[in-house]
Amino acid sequence: MVASLDAVPGDAAAGVHRLIALGVLRPGAAPAVPPQATGGERQVFPLPDAVALCEARESYHLGRLAATVRSLVHGGWGHHRVTRDAVAFLIAHQDTDGAFGYPAFDDLAARTRARYSWTRSAAVALTAAEGTRSAG
């Protein structure tokens, strides 16, 4: 498949280099693979963080989503569209009383604990995101 391409897109180059290093692809299979990015260059949003955001959204785990947002902001990804979308998702789940989330627990104490935890996590993540937005 890779050999049939004239060139490999830059955002797929790291994966192709990894497959070559593992011996899955022959080094000459894709002669137009861009050089592997150095540590100072970032071309692709971090896949593990993208997966963590999706899983947190699907499972409605606002604490995990907030922690991933904070990690992305501190990693320099605060201005990326995916991070901004995650911030917007968090903000959309703030209630009129200021708390975050709508946990589906029957027990009032469990609901209160979850909202407290999520609110604390969201406040920290949103503060970090706002700091990045103000600086940039």
Side-chain angles (χ1 to χ4, degrees), residues 9-87:
D11 60 347
V16 173
H17 283 288
R18 177 83 173 127
L19 291 174
I20 291 170
L22 292 171
V24 176
L25 291 176
R26 291 184 332 274
V33 177
Q36 196 163 7
T38 62
E41 300 173 356
R42 281 193 306 239
Q43 299 177 0
V44 181
F45 192 81
L47 181 61
D49 290 326
V51 170
L53 288 173
C54 284
E55 289 175 348
R57 181 187 48 84
E58 288 174 2
S59 64
Y60 200 71
H61 196 301
L62 295 185
R64 189 170 299 134
L65 191 130
T68 305
V69 165
R70 183 173 180 242
S71 172
L72 287 166
V73 167
H74 287 293
W77 291 97
H79 295 290
H80 194 277
R81 182 192 55 81
V82 174
T83 306
R84 291 190 327 260
D85 288 350
V87 167

